[in-house]
Amino acid sequence: MKKNWPLWEVFVRSKNGLEHRHFGSLHAPDADMALKNARDVYTRRSEGVSIWVVESKNIKASNPDENGEMFEPAADKAYRHPTFYELPDDIEHM
Amino acid sequence: MENMKEKEQMKSLEDIFEAKIARDEKIEPKDWMPEKYRKTHIRQISQHAHSEIVGMLPEGNWITRAPSLRRKVALLAKVQDEAGHGLYLYSACETLGISREELYHQLHSGKAKYSSIFNYPTLTWADIGAIGWLVDGAAIINQVPLCSTSFGPYARAMVRVCKEESFHQRQGYEIMMTLCNGTQEQKDMAQDALNRWWWPSLMMLGPTDDESTHTEQSMKWKLKRKTNDELRQQFIDQTVPQADILGLKVPDEDLKYNNETGHYDFGEIDWEEFWQVVKGHGMCNKERISARKNAWDKGEWVRDAAIAYADKQTEKEVKEAV
Amino acid sequence: MTNENLIQYIYGIADNSLILGQRISELCGHGPTLETDIAMTNMALDLLGQTRSYYQYVAELSSKDITEDDVAFLRTEREYKNVLLVEQPNTDFAYIIVRQYFFDVFHFMLLKELENSKNVNFQAIAKKSLKEVSYHKRFSGDWLKRLGDGTEESKQKAQKAVDDLWVYTDELFHMTDHDKKVAEAGYGVDVTIFKTAYYETITALLKEATLNIPDVKYFQKGGKNGIHTEHMGFILSDMQYMQRTYPDMKW
């Protein structure tokens, strides 16, 4: 039985101080090779200072069909945002 | 009765879907999508990916013979970028639930198409200049609008591709420029390359609008923003003045600036040639596919070895943990 | 130490990078996966970049008005001083990786020493190249482990490549009269000092890769004196094609 190289997701930190961001994916036989391939594929133009790789199958993703229950309940909680609260115009440092 | 209900549900799902695209919202891989959308995207993205990696071959043909070290590293980096672009695009395609291996299989078996222009041979160094200038020029016109296409992974891949590709066309034009500032022999070489690559570049923007089957649907899904004929006109309008600067003559007796329309009128394209090459009768169709297939087949034992090694390492780790 | 000594010494280092860079370039577009293809091309680009730095320095040293390209493309076969190892063909991926690893380990050790050269040009080139070559060494070493300890087929292929290429390793440690003079002046490197370390390193990795160390008594040599294998003529006719067909033109 033939086994193909699995798919990996690549996350790159562009410079210190920034978060790792999803850059794309690639194929590799193992984590070490995935890291090396990621360096060669995604940082050819000095795009990064740190790389994470994770095998795609290990990512648990939310289901868009459940987006209603997942994300909509947050929409009407206006009191979580500073603009919800009324203050006099001339107040400072707040 | 049940069937009717299902159909209605499907219809309303499709309406919601189309409305989302019309609002410029992106479609992401796990979102519901009509089967036709999925299939169309697999076809277009994989064709695009195949074009990138088959496109490596005609230019790769000149890497070992590049005339200076500076040209050699620039060409290497360019062809390598094309491998990268193929990789980004295959990855985007894979999010639609098809594997890279399956896509390769479609390419190797002749089932999948790729840009026909890569079935023409690169005969002289000037061809490398002409490809960068004309073929990448035409490709950019095709690709820039795709940065805002509706399918998220495709759009993101295209943003990266377009950013990286900006040096490709300049690289080609600089080669042409150097030749045109050189000896008579070099100028002739440049003119000959333009003569051979001009018409295939125009064909690269696709069949005429009345021959093109997918345009309306593609417009709706933002796989296309302009028709093939509009893109072709845009390409000609921007390229002819560039040829003038080089002092080269575009090989079209009917080419003439039209003061009324503000565009160049141009001659008849040999569509018979285009369709013959698409059908596999270009000079290099067989060679290109066999080169790709060969690389893949010869690499099989290498890929297998790496997987076997990885499996052994995992086994070792498990044993050590026990 | 004369200027000519120094120029010949540079050829001995830079021609290795040029010819190996050229060999790897042949593979662009033909690798076992896109990922590997891209990685190998990065190595070719590193090597060709190093070559340019060395040749630019040669052009500076030369009494004639020449450029890096004259140095790269307009010498005759006997004037190239690369070792035989780097001109060996891309027979299969095992040969490519073994050739690379055998060279990378040497290259790394050489640059480590060259970094301490009294010559500022060498210092600078070595410092920059070391980072690149550390990565090459890791890449080729990691692959060699995978080929050796992968499948039965890959093991056989890797062993064959090791057996065939081992005979070219000894030459890495030969020193021409030019090399000796430049080393004595504190500019060049006495490569014999890390010969033992070299064989220890590659032997250890071959063992880890479950491969056998070839039992070889007689080694090939010649490249450092410009006596090459028959492959070299074809590499040059390909590489020099444009310069030879259209002399004295700018590209």
Side-chain angles (χ1 to χ4, degrees):
Chain A
M1 198 214 57
K2 285 280 167 237
K3 222 170 109 186
N4 294 318
W5 286 10
L7 193 66
W8 298 75
E9 300 302 322
V10 179
F11 299 82
V12 177
R13 185 201 296 287
S14 307
K15 60 177 192 187
N16 273 8
L18 297 180
E19 69 278 63
H20 285 79
R21 207 162 57 79
H22 185 233
F23 261 45
S25 45
L26 49 73
H27 290 259
D30 56 51
D32 267 353
M33 281 282 178
L35 207 51
K36 285 200 184 63
N37 290 343
R39 175 257 195 194
D40 285 313
V41 172
Y42 287 103
T43 65
R44 298 199 298 287
R45 289 178 170 79
S46 318
E47 291 94 336
V49 296
S50 164
I51 303 176
W52 290 346
V53 290
V54 57
E55 203 175 330
S56 311
K57 69 171 189 201
N58 291 333
I59 290 180
K60 175 73 182 162
S62 62
N63 181 350
D65 293 345
E66 293 161 7
N67 272 10
E69 61 191 270
M70 284 286 276
F71 306 114
E72 272 168 36
D76 70 344
K77 313 285 192 294
Y79 44 81
R80 294 196 201 275
H81 302 281
T83 45
F84 180 76
Y85 301 94
E86 281 176 30
L87 292 178
D89 285 343
D90 51 359
I91 192 154
E92 287 181 351
H93 306 299
M94 193 173 285
Chain B
M1 223 15 218
E2 273 302 296
N3 207 355
M4 278 278 279
K5 210 171 166 192
E6 254 174 50
K7 267 189 189 154
E8 261 168 41
Q9 266 176 352
M10 194 62 97
K11 179 83 185 68
S12 79
L13 271 172
E14 277 192 41
D15 286 345
I16 295 169
F17 178 84
E18 298 292 351
K20 214 166 140 184
I21 293 180
R23 284 197 305 272
D24 255 338
E25 275 181 45
K26 298 288 181 207
I27 307 302
E28 293 296 345
K30 281 172 164 282
D31 293 346
W32 183 88
M33 60 183 77
E35 203 40 37
K36 197 169 169 222
Y37 182 89
R38 183 187 302 277
K39 285 209 173 114
T40 303
H41 276 77
I42 289 177
R43 196 185 59 235
Q44 170 153 346
I45 301 171
S46 65
Q47 271 182 20
H48 197 161
H50 297 327
S51 299
E52 293 282 355
I53 63 159
V54 175
M56 295 170 74
L57 299 168
E59 290 177 280
N61 185 28
W62 278 87
I63 292 172
T64 58
R65 288 178 290 172
S68 72
L69 291 175
R70 180 172 179 269
R71 294 288 179 217
K72 194 190 285 287
V73 291
L75 182 58
L76 252 179
K78 177 178 190 260
V79 178
Q80 184 196 38
D81 270 351
E82 281 151 15
H85 299 167
L87 194 156
Y88 306 154
L89 289 162
Y90 282 126
S91 300
C93 205
E94 282 178 88
T95 64
L96 290 165
I98 185 164
S99 69
R100 196 195 289 178
E101 288 74 18
E102 175 61 25
L103 294 168
Y104 273 168
H105 180 71
Q106 292 177 356
L107 175 67
H108 298 160
S109 65
K111 191 182 156 212
K113 298 272 174 274
Y114 55 89
S115 187
S116 259
I117 198 150
F118 301 121
N119 293 316
Y120 289 82
T122 48
L123 302 179
T124 71
W125 172 250
D127 289 20
I128 300 307
I131 289 182
W133 170 36
L134 301 172
V135 178
D136 286 88
I140 291 167
I141 285 185
N142 256 332
Q143 288 174 349
V144 168
L146 289 172
C147 293
S148 55
T149 191
S150 66
F151 186 54
Y154 193 22
R156 290 191 288 275
M158 287 319 297
V159 168
R160 195 174 290 279
V161 168
C162 287
K163 213 197 271 173
E164 295 186 353
E165 215 145 76
S166 54
F167 97 81
H168 293 184
Q169 199 192 10
R170 296 171 72 115
Q171 180 252 181
Y173 196 75
E174 196 195 79
I175 290 173
M176 295 304 272
M177 198 75 171
T178 311
L179 293 175
C180 292
N181 289 329
T183 63
Q184 191 55 47
E185 221 175 347
Q186 287 175 302
K187 278 179 211 157
D188 293 346
M189 196 190 274
Q191 181 64 56
D192 172 59
L194 173 58
N195 293 349
R196 282 181 290 109
W197 290 96
W198 175 256
W199 292 103
S201 301
L202 297 191
M203 295 175 198
M204 199 183 149
L205 294 150
T208 52
D209 295 348
D210 42 331
E211 291 271 336
S212 180
T213 39
H214 310 296
T215 301
E216 198 190 331
Q217 180 76 86
S218 300
M219 292 272 188
K220 217 162 66 180
W221 289 342
K222 297 175 185 172
L223 279 168
K224 259 192 175 312
R225 286 287 159 105
K226 288 178 183 169
T227 69
N228 293 349
D229 287 336
E230 286 169 338
L231 292 172
R232 195 165 8 252
Q233 188 67 56
Q234 184 189 340
F235 175 73
I236 292 169
D237 289 346
Q238 73 182 43
T239 310
V240 173
Q242 294 168 354
D244 291 342
I245 292 174
L246 293 171
L248 295 177
K249 189 181 174 309
V250 174
D252 178 357
E253 293 305 328
D254 299 322
L255 187 80
K256 205 174 147 241
Y257 188 73
N258 183 329
N259 274 318
E260 264 170 47
T261 59
H263 297 292
Y264 282 88
D265 296 335
F266 55 96
E268 195 65 38
I269 292 172
D270 182 357
W271 290 110
E272 172 59 17
E273 176 182 318
F274 174 77
W275 290 113
Q276 286 304 327
V277 180
V278 169
K279 281 180 200 149
H281 306 305
M283 189 180 274
C284 302
N285 294 58
K286 289 200 181 100
E287 246 171 293
R288 300 294 185 236
I289 292 298
S290 81
R292 286 309 319 160
K293 193 170 169 331
N294 206 15
W296 185 245
D297 292 348
K298 275 191 182 163
E300 185 174 338
W301 71 270
V302 178
R303 297 189 300 273
D304 289 350
I307 282 287
Y309 179 86
D311 288 348
K312 283 184 201 174
Q313 298 304 308
T314 316
E315 241 170 72
K316 263 187 214 163
E317 277 166 29
V318 172
K319 266 190 200 151
E320 274 161 25
V322 172
Chain C
M1 180 188 63
T2 63
N3 235 17
E4 183 57 17
N5 291 146
L6 194 53
I7 290 174
Q8 289 298 326
Y9 179 72
I10 299 173
Y11 288 162
I13 298 177
D15 291 352
N16 287 338
S17 295
L18 173 68
I19 300 302
L20 187 55
Q22 177 78 2
R23 270 291 189 225
I24 311 175
S25 301
E26 293 170 14
L27 298 166
C28 185
H30 306 277
T33 66
L34 279 177
E35 285 81 356
T36 324
D37 209 313
I38 293 169
M40 300 284 301
T41 304
N42 269 348
M43 295 204 285
L45 286 168
D46 289 342
L47 289 167
L48 293 170
Q50 294 164 15
T51 307
R52 293 183 70 190
S53 307
Y54 288 119
Y55 288 171
Q56 282 161 11
Y57 184 33
V58 169
E60 256 175 58
L61 290 169
S62 172
S63 52
K64 289 174 245 159
D65 184 25
I66 55 167
T67 67
E68 56 175 31
D69 290 324
D70 297 324
V71 181
F73 298 102
L74 292 179
R75 281 179 286 154
T76 60
E77 178 168 341
R78 291 293 311 277
E79 291 169 311
Y80 286 86
K81 300 298 159 58
N82 56 281
V83 291
L84 301 179
L85 176 66
V86 295
E87 66 198 45
Q88 297 310 303
N90 300 321
T91 308
D92 63 20
F93 194 71
Y95 274 79
I96 293 160
I97 288 300
V98 172
R99 180 184 66 202
Q100 191 69 38
Y101 182 68
F102 284 176
F103 180 72
D104 289 343
V105 174
F106 167 80
H107 198 190
F108 179 78
M109 292 178 172
L110 170 78
L111 292 169
K112 267 274 185 220
E113 297 297 321
L114 197 63
E115 211 181 10
N116 304 318
S117 164
K118 280 186 193 162
N119 178 302
V120 287
N121 283 296
F122 286 162
Q123 279 172 23
I125 299 174
K127 194 164 188 271
K128 178 178 164 285
S129 310
L130 254 178
K131 290 180 190 145
E132 297 167 347
V133 174
S134 308
Y135 189 80
H136 301 178
K137 182 168 66 105
R138 195 189 297 271
F139 178 88
S140 57
D142 282 356
W143 261 111
L144 187 48
K145 283 188 244 171
R146 281 158 179 78
L147 298 185
D149 196 12
T151 62
E152 206 37 57
E153 184 185 7
S154 71
K155 188 194 191 67
Q156 273 176 24
K157 286 195 152 86
Q159 188 64 57
K160 175 143 183 27
V162 168
D163 292 348
D164 286 353
L165 293 170
W166 188 266
V167 294
Y168 299 109
T169 52
D170 189 66
E171 191 195 7
L172 293 163
F173 300 97
H174 291 200
M175 288 178 74
T176 63
D177 291 341
H178 296 294
D179 295 350
K180 285 177 191 155
K181 290 209 175 89
V182 177
E184 275 161 24
Y187 276 33
V189 172
D190 177 0
V191 289
T192 59
I193 60 168
F194 55 80
K195 186 172 177 179
T196 313
Y198 172 82
Y199 280 106
E200 277 168 11
T201 305
I202 61 173
T203 305
L205 190 114
L206 288 176
K207 277 190 184 142
E208 201 186 332
T210 70
L211 293 166
N212 299 322
I213 316 300
D215 182 19
V216 170
K217 300 277 181 319
Y218 190 83
F219 289 90
Q220 294 298 330
K221 61 174 191 291
K224 290 201 129 180
N225 291 307
I227 301 170
H228 294 279
T229 57
E230 288 180 350
H231 303 297
M232 189 66 179
F234 293 98
I235 296 177
L236 294 184
S237 57
D238 199 21
M239 189 175 79
Q240 297 183 339
Y241 166 68
M242 289 296 291
Q243 296 273 348
R244 296 294 186 194
T245 313
Y246 306 97
D248 301 321
M249 296 184 200
K250 291 225 172 339
W251 301 97

